[in-house]
Amino acid sequence: MLKKWCVAASLLVVSGQALSFCGFYVAQADTKLFNQASQVVLVRDGDKTVLTMANDFKGDLKEFAIVIPVPTFIEEGQIHIGDKAHIDHLDAYSAPRLVEYFDGNPCPPPATVGEVAMSLPAAPFDSDMARDGVKIEAQYTIGEYDILILSAEQSGGLVRWLKKNGYRIPKGAKSVLGSYIKQKMRFFVAKVNLTEQAKLGYNYLRPLQVAYESPKFMLPIRLGTVNADGAQELFIYTLTRQGRVETTNYRTVKLPTDMDLPVYIKDDFANFYRALFDYQVEKEDMRAVFLEYAWNMNQGCDPCAASPPSEQELRELGVFWNQPESGSPVDTFITRLHLRYNAKNFPEDLIFQETSDHNNFQGRYVLRHPWQGTADCPQAQEYRRNLTTRWEKEAQELANLTGWNIQNIRRKMNLPGLGNTGYQERWWQKLWK
């Protein structure tokens, strides 16, 4: 009987850096603002979308502002302040995970006795707008944010207007803004209202949520590349009804999963997963979107890296079709996508489609601890003879997943009796060590 239990942990794929939205940061001073990674939740059914943007801005709040293209006019009631804890929970629930098993005594019928899962671990606005072709269609103060909904006739006017109002516009933004204007998109501009922020007492910026209707199932990412200091990480959690979500204008690739790895990886899982993702991005020439998790939430999780989000949490994230405490099954499918992107390799915004694929998928990596018993039955002798072959395969799997030097992997494995496995280094393998 397979016995299982869960242990939640966190993987900081990128740490100590400001998280970006799908727009770009603009500053009212010379402070450098970076946007290296971001988390976005997209709830989608039909033409209805709820977009939640997590923010981990680390600079002076008075210098925070964002500009995000949106496909339609946004009324005040369509904007909400979310709870970052819900996004963190969704992240932990869907994170790639490490599981471990313990071999049983080979003499009696083999019995696997355990499995452990670990998850990886925001004005004044002037009167020259007619000349610039910029129109403030609405302005609201919601929570700690002052928000404007802008429309513009041409990018040069929009850039001039933003600059006149104290926003630092990254070089190269004009052409990108122009492409959104041609699509009749509006611009969601948010900055922190310091008075409201102090009154509310939060020492961090809470996520912004926007609900709208549009046939476009997309996420603008190009503005985010304009002032980026190198490539950026983007995690997208889609919550839909029909099935898995994929991108249509970039390849969606499933990450390698269900690989047996050396047990020492248990103490080095974060470094392992970073290396794995780096290597897979390199192999795809940084032109793919990676699938890390796809799961029918009505089926819970197996193994669970964290408990499934509650119906109330899903509702607050924007899952409008579920009624909390209704007693009906959670009719939601989650897809976790991860990409590393820059302007060169991702020149277009992300376009999505919801598929009818309900097959579950998870990034899952396996440790198998050998049996430590002393029995000497024929089955035990055969088991011990096969261990070295298994360990060598695990070393090669790890090297293939990460690009790490296999000799170093073998040394870290510190295998007892490795010299008796029949493996011998070739002369050229020792040459440049």
Side-chain angles (χ1 to χ4, degrees):
M1 176 180 178
L2 187 66
K3 183 179 177 182
K4 60 183 92 172
W5 63 93
C6 306
V7 177
S10 296
L11 170 70
L12 296 179
V13 177
V14 178
S15 63
Q17 295 173 330
L19 294 176
S20 75
F21 291 138
C22 40
F24 62 79
Y25 284 115
V26 290
Q28 293 175 298
D30 287 334
T31 303
K32 290 184 178 179
L33 304 176
F34 298 93
N35 46 348
Q36 296 290 340
S38 55
Q39 290 175 291
V40 174
V41 181
L42 275 171
V43 174
R44 176 82 175 183
D45 185 40
D47 287 348
K48 299 174 182 174
T49 298
V50 180
L51 169 66
T52 302
M53 300 163 286
N55 175 38
D56 192 25
F57 178 70
K58 298 291 195 305
D60 190 336
L61 292 182
K62 69 183 181 183
E63 296 178 358
F64 172 86
I66 55 169
V67 177
I68 304 167
V70 289
T72 64
F73 173 75
I74 304 295
E75 299 181 10
E76 183 174 4
Q78 294 174 260
I79 305 169
H80 186 256
I81 305 299
D83 188 337
K84 180 63 164 61
H86 296 343
I87 301 176
D88 293 341
H89 191 177
L90 204 61
D91 177 45
Y93 169 73
S94 60
R97 61 214 59 201
L98 182 68
V99 300
E100 60 183 355
Y101 299 91
F102 295 83
D103 292 348
N105 186 337
C107 293
T112 302
V113 298
E115 176 177 301
V116 177
M118 299 192 302
S119 70
L120 287 182
F125 298 95
D126 71 2
S127 58
D128 293 333
M129 303 185 72
R131 191 193 68 186
D132 293 332
V134 176
K135 178 182 179 181
I136 296 177
E137 298 198 357
Q139 52 186 316
Y140 320 113
T141 295
I142 299 177
E144 62 267 47
Y145 297 100
D146 285 335
I147 296 166
L148 296 178
I149 307 300
L150 301 180
S151 62
E153 296 176 357
Q154 43 90 16
S155 60
L158 180 57
V159 169
R160 280 197 301 276
W161 186 90
L162 288 167
K163 287 183 175 179
K164 281 189 298 187
N165 285 278
Y167 295 92
R168 181 170 296 280
I169 305 303
K171 184 180 179 181
K174 180 179 176 181
S175 61
V176 180
L177 290 169
S179 67
Y180 292 120
I181 293 172
K182 289 179 181 176
Q183 297 176 61
K184 307 296 184 186
M185 296 181 75
R186 271 78 164 184
F187 297 92
F188 181 101
V189 181
K191 58 196 282 188
V192 177
N193 183 315
L194 295 174
T195 301
E196 291 298 321
Q197 197 265 340
K199 189 187 303 180
L200 289 165
Y202 291 100
N203 57 6
Y204 62 93
L205 297 178
R206 297 177 292 165
L208 276 163
Q209 295 182 289
V210 184
Y212 56 87
E213 290 187 37
S214 171
K216 296 178 179 178
F217 188 14
M218 55 86 75
L219 186 68
I221 61 171
R222 289 178 297 151
L223 280 175
T225 65
V226 174
N227 65 333
D229 182 20
Q232 301 179 81
E233 304 283 333
L234 176 60
F235 296 88
I236 306 163
Y237 316 92
T238 66
L239 300 171
T240 54
R241 300 182 78 171
Q242 304 303 319
R244 180 179 54 81
V245 170
E246 62 188 17
T247 46
T248 62
N249 53 341
Y250 299 102
R251 287 200 319 123
T252 302
V253 177
K254 290 181 179 178
L255 279 173
T257 186
D258 286 331
M259 304 293 185
D260 287 358
L261 302 175
V263 293
Y264 83 83
I265 289 300
K266 182 176 182 179
D267 296 325
D268 203 22
F269 190 42
N271 284 331
F272 155 73
Y273 194 74
R274 278 193 290 265
L276 179 150
F277 192 76
D278 289 348
Y279 197 51
Q280 302 307 314
V281 169
E282 181 182 341
K283 289 172 67 175
E284 296 291 338
D285 195 27
M286 203 167 77
R287 296 179 188 277
V289 176
F290 293 94
L291 177 68
E292 292 185 327
Y293 194 73
W295 209 269
N296 185 337
M297 299 181 75
N298 192 32
Q299 299 174 6
C301 45
D302 182 22
C304 292
S307 60
S310 68
E311 291 186 28
Q312 183 65 37
E313 286 176 299
L314 292 175
R315 182 76 179 183
E316 292 180 16
L317 284 167
V319 180
F320 53 88
W321 57 86
N322 274 349
Q323 296 298 324
E325 301 179 359
S326 65
S328 57
V330 176
D331 182 21
T332 306
F333 195 94
I334 180 173
T335 304
R336 175 187 175 114
L337 301 170
H338 181 184
L339 67 150
R340 182 172 297 162
Y341 69 104
N342 59 23
K344 176 184 176 183
N345 293 355
F346 281 82
E348 300 176 358
D349 294 322
L350 300 176
I351 309 298
F352 304 102
Q353 68 177 6
E354 183 181 9
T355 73
S356 58
D357 180 10
H358 261 250
N359 292 317
N360 293 330
F361 173 85
Q362 58 184 327
R364 177 178 176 271
Y365 307 95
V366 181
L367 308 181
R368 298 188 186 278
H369 296 268
W371 173 65
Q372 301 291 340
T374 57
D376 198 32
C377 66
Q379 294 92 333
Q381 296 174 16
E382 179 67 16
Y383 169 82
R384 293 191 183 97
R385 282 195 294 271
N386 291 333
L387 275 180
T388 52
T389 301
R390 184 173 103 182
W391 290 333
E392 175 61 22
K393 184 179 178 182
E394 291 173 353
Q396 293 183 17
E397 291 272 35
L398 181 57
N400 290 335
L401 285 173
T402 61
W404 287 349
N405 183 292
I406 193 166
Q407 306 301 343
N408 292 338
I409 293 173
R410 289 177 178 133
R411 275 192 286 272
K412 287 185 177 181
M413 290 175 76
N414 192 27
L415 300 180
L418 183 62
N420 298 323
T421 63
Y423 174 80
Q424 291 185 336
E425 283 186 320
R426 304 292 300 274
W427 66 270
W428 43 267
Q429 290 179 300
K430 304 175 183 177
L431 186 57
W432 293 291
K433 289 183 178 178

